[in-house]
Amino acid sequence: MGTAASPTFDAETLRRGIEGNPNTLLSLYADDAELRVVDHNTQPSHPRVLHGRDEISTLLDDVYGRDMTHKLEDCVVQGDRAAYSESCEYSDGVRVFAESMIRLRDGKITEQTLIQAWDEQ
């Protein structure tokens, strides 16, 4: 009996990961993936850079451990590149909006730049 292959990137798998299962989302990243985060805490000249699935997993554990909802708004895939928009809302009504540009290799995310903004608290 063989083992099930991990999912490869497509819009529906991304939706399932973002909206319900962070383990599915993590499985879309290559082992050597790099994620750059730009927001009001980590400006473009000094983005937060995560290297590899372990560091990305730590970020996802933090984000998905919060009392908030996540929704994939839009996703476009073209060859080895994709872009998507995500909206989130904390239980107190604070909203977050994020845009991502990604590069793919063999159906896995290898590079991602995430730009996010959220309501003033």
Side-chain angles (χ1 to χ4, degrees):
M1 206 185 291
T3 59
S6 66
T8 57
F9 188 92
D10 64 41
E12 187 53 37
T13 305
L14 180 65
R15 179 180 308 284
R16 285 194 314 270
I18 286 174
E19 295 181 1
N21 188 340
N23 290 327
T24 298
L25 184 56
L26 181 63
S27 73
L28 294 176
Y29 288 90
D31 290 339
D32 62 345
E34 180 178 276
L35 170 60
R36 288 179 303 281
V37 180
V38 176
D39 57 28
H40 74 275
N41 293 323
T42 56
Q43 301 292 309
S45 59
H46 300 300
R48 179 179 181 190
V49 181
L50 305 175
H51 299 278
R53 289 181 72 211
D54 287 343
E55 290 183 13
I56 294 168
S57 176
T58 299
L59 173 70
L60 293 178
D61 287 346
D62 174 42
V63 170
Y64 282 88
R66 300 175 189 182
D67 187 13
M68 63 190 304
T69 60
H70 306 267
K71 182 177 182 197
L72 179 65
E73 296 290 338
D74 201 10
C75 179
V76 176
V77 181
Q78 187 169 11
D80 66 350
R81 295 185 182 259
Y84 67 90
S85 302
E86 178 182 357
S87 63
C88 306
E89 186 173 351
Y90 284 91
S91 61
D92 64 0
V94 172
R95 293 178 182 255
V96 181
F97 189 77
E99 292 281 336
S100 287
M101 287 291 296
I102 61 177
R103 184 178 299 258
L104 303 165
R105 180 184 67 229
D106 300 325
K108 299 291 182 186
I109 299 168
T110 58
E111 296 176 26
Q112 178 177 3
T113 300
L114 168 68
I115 300 172
Q116 60 184 359
W118 53 91
D119 291 339
E120 293 295 320
Q121 299 179 6

